Amino acid sequence: MEQLRAFAAVIDAGTFEAAAVRLHVTPSAVSQRIKALEIQVGTVVVRRSQPAAPTSAGLVLLRLARQVDLLAAEAEAELSGHGVGGQGRRAAVTVVVNADSLATWFPAVFAELARDDGLELEVLREDETVSSELLRDGRVMAAVTTDGRPVRGSTTQVLGTVRYAAMAAPGFARRWFAADPVQGLAVAPMVNFDRSDQLQSSLIREVTGRRANPPTHHVPDSTQFVTAVAAGLGWGMIPEVQDPADGTLELLDPAWTRGVRLYWQRWKLDSPALARVSDAVLGAARTSGILAATERGDDDRQTG
């Protein structure tokens, strides 16, 4: 168990020295545990790079290491007589969430979990493609994703649908879309969240019937993305809930809207801590008023 804990700590911290600080041992002790683990499995599991990274064999062990550590923490809490949420070692749960969810409905999860003193929550912000990969590799235990296909060893539940609309600043809309909206869509500057964001490009292909290469800006922050569009940097697909409704944004065409269906994927693991996080996420999705009924949704790609 200590070998697996050391392995996960090295991957999380990035170096043997930082892992030693986390585990309250010496770097030499961490190195010895990793070497013992590699001898036991018969291959190298840590790539000694900057930062340290798991080898292909290490990825197989990473998921096991996190599961063992989570269950061990919960067991220690129970055996200490304090129970989960007491004074024992805290159960650490790592999840990955896309940026638009973090900026809108997901913060309700924090309020729900704030009363749980026995839990340590780590939230990673990545787009939906990376989220599935992180879940598959064992780097996270659960994910908000647009991929409804369960990762091996995980379960999937529908959260709801976020509605996106093509919007722009009024002056920008008059300049680029007043004469010929379809042609404007093909040539007007657009704002993408990052280079993985295909929501704007997919709308262009659907509406114009061709691939276009307009000037493209990248603003990898949900709030600043809306600010950039409102400032006239380009048009973009804005979550309806983030429309400031103060006249700074204008709907380009009522038909240029898309639904992005969100799913919650989590490990199939009998863990009270992971179950509490899942309950909080599902509860936030149900009560937020941001996620629409799934029947309205399409399986388009989510930005962020």
Side-chain angles (χ1 to χ4, degrees), residues 241 284-292:
V241 68
R286 285 193 297 267
T287 62
S288 68
I290 294 171
L291 300 181

Side-chain angles (χ1 to χ4, degrees), residues 104-115:
T104 54
W105 64 272
F106 197 86
V109 175
F110 305 145
E112 180 62 27
L113 295 178
R115 298 185 294 271

Side-chain angles (χ1 to χ4, degrees), residues 117-302:
D117 295 332
L119 175 70
E120 290 184 350
L121 178 69
E122 180 178 8
V123 178
L124 306 183
R125 187 189 69 178
E126 295 287 357
D127 65 42
E128 74 284 358
T129 302
V130 176
S131 68
S132 296
E133 179 181 332
L134 293 175
L135 188 64
R136 186 177 297 106
D137 289 347
R139 296 174 188 263
V140 300
M141 303 170 186
V144 174
T145 176
T146 57
D147 190 352
R149 298 167 297 179
V151 171
R152 183 177 179 183
S154 301
T155 61
T156 300
Q157 292 175 275
V158 177
L159 291 173
T161 299
V162 179
R163 303 299 302 182
Y164 287 78
M167 306 191 80
F172 184 95
R174 288 193 298 271
R175 176 185 178 188
W176 293 96
F177 293 91
D180 187 342
V182 174
Q183 177 62 18
L185 197 64
V187 299
M190 69 180 181
V191 182
N192 280 357
F193 185 88
D194 56 23
R195 296 187 183 277
S196 299
D197 178 11
Q198 297 296 315
L199 199 57
Q200 286 72 219
S201 296
S202 65
L203 180 71
I204 292 175
R205 290 193 299 271
E206 291 172 21
V207 173
T208 67
R210 61 188 176 91
R211 293 180 180 274
N213 188 30
T216 303
H217 306 284
H218 298 89
V219 182
D221 179 274
S222 290
T223 301
Q224 296 308 316
F225 182 96
V226 177
T227 300
V229 174
L233 188 64
W235 70 274
M237 299 295 287
I238 305 293
E240 290 181 351
V241 68
Q242 287 186 277
D243 179 1
D246 59 1
T248 57
L249 287 177
E250 180 178 302
L251 186 66
L252 295 179
D253 189 305
W256 295 355
T257 62
R258 295 294 180 270
V260 176
R261 188 172 297 179
L262 296 180
Y263 301 86
W264 174 247
Q265 288 208 45
R266 53 155 290 187
W267 286 351
K268 289 180 181 177
L269 191 67
D270 187 14
S271 161
L274 185 54
R276 289 199 302 279
V277 173
S278 293
D279 288 343
V281 171
L282 294 170
R286 285 193 297 267
T287 62
S288 68
I290 294 171
L291 300 181
T294 59
E295 288 75 15
R296 294 179 55 196
D298 306 310
D299 287 333
D300 289 318
R301 185 173 187 144
Q302 164 113 355

Side-chain angles (χ1 to χ4, degrees), residues 48-63:
R48 273 72 168 176
S49 55
Q50 292 293 332
T55 63
S56 56
L59 285 174
V60 176
L61 286 179
L62 186 58
R63 184 187 183 98

